[in-house]
Amino acid sequence: MSTVICPGSFDPITKGHLDIIVRASKLFSRVIVLVSKNPQKTTSFSEQERVEMIRAVTGDLPGVEVDCYHGLLADYARQVGAIAVVKGLRAVSDFEYEFQQSLANKKLNPELETIFLNTNSKYMYLSSSIVKQIAAFGGDIADFVPPAIVQPIKTRLSKGE
């Protein structure tokens, strides 16, 4: 059984994230979607809310699990027996950051590989930040996030919580 990790803050999960998860689930028998804490980001949704949203949109995908972790990704990968980290790339700027992260993870866990999947072109512009901004101004986010989580996102962000 090949285990990989799709890590991110997922604040909130977008159709672009989901596309990467679905594609990874076709390549590997076990995909752990890992809600991780990025100390450089302020989130709009709690970890538990993000885990619940991800479970709501990945529940029908065989072999996909959702977890959260507060430590180093390299350590978590070792704990769960993951062979790789799967990351989506939208642009060259994503690559620079993700490449740096992959080198650090490799140094901390020499057995861990990083696999980059190009984002589907229809999601190249999409980010959680864009979704949050559109929702905060009452815009329609239905094209950007899975249907099951449109309303919870709109409810939270339109209130400015």
Side-chain angles (χ1 to χ4, degrees):
M1 177 183 275
S2 298
T3 299
V4 297
I5 303 166
C6 289
S9 53
F10 303 105
D11 186 47
I13 188 170
T14 68
K15 286 183 176 180
H17 293 131
L18 186 57
D19 178 62
I20 297 296
I21 294 164
V22 168
R23 290 165 53 204
S25 74
K26 292 176 182 176
L27 298 171
F28 301 98
S29 54
R30 181 178 179 217
V31 175
I32 301 172
V33 181
L34 185 67
V35 175
S36 53
K37 183 170 178 66
N38 182 340
Q40 298 170 341
K41 290 184 178 180
T42 302
T43 58
S44 297
F45 298 92
S46 72
E47 281 182 356
Q48 190 56 42
E49 288 170 322
R50 288 179 278 154
V51 165
E52 289 171 13
M53 283 192 277
I54 297 166
R55 284 185 178 142
V57 302
T58 62
D60 62 339
L61 296 174
V64 174
E65 305 170 20
V66 184
D67 199 2
C68 59
Y69 187 70
H70 291 275
L72 293 171
L73 179 59
D75 292 339
Y76 180 83
R78 194 177 288 111
Q79 290 172 21
V80 299
I83 62 167
V85 173
V86 176
K87 295 294 292 191
L89 295 177
R90 292 173 295 189
V92 172
S93 58
D94 283 350
F95 178 77
E96 291 172 15
Y97 173 78
E98 297 299 348
F99 184 67
Q100 195 173 33
Q101 293 297 309
S102 73
L103 292 174
N105 285 328
K106 188 72 165 169
K107 182 73 173 171
L108 295 169
N109 182 344
E111 301 301 313
L112 187 63
E113 298 296 338
T114 300
I115 298 168
F116 298 112
L117 295 179
N118 291 334
T119 299
N120 185 313
S121 61
K122 64 184 174 183
Y123 302 124
M124 286 187 74
Y125 65 91
L126 187 55
S127 69
S128 295
S129 298
I130 287 173
V131 170
K132 291 188 284 190
Q133 186 176 23
I134 292 168
F137 287 103
D140 184 6
I141 59 171
D143 286 341
F144 310 124
V145 299
I149 62 170
V150 169
Q151 197 52 53
I153 293 168
K154 287 171 63 173
T155 300
R156 166 63 57 81
L157 297 179
S158 66
K159 289 181 180 178
E161 290 182 17

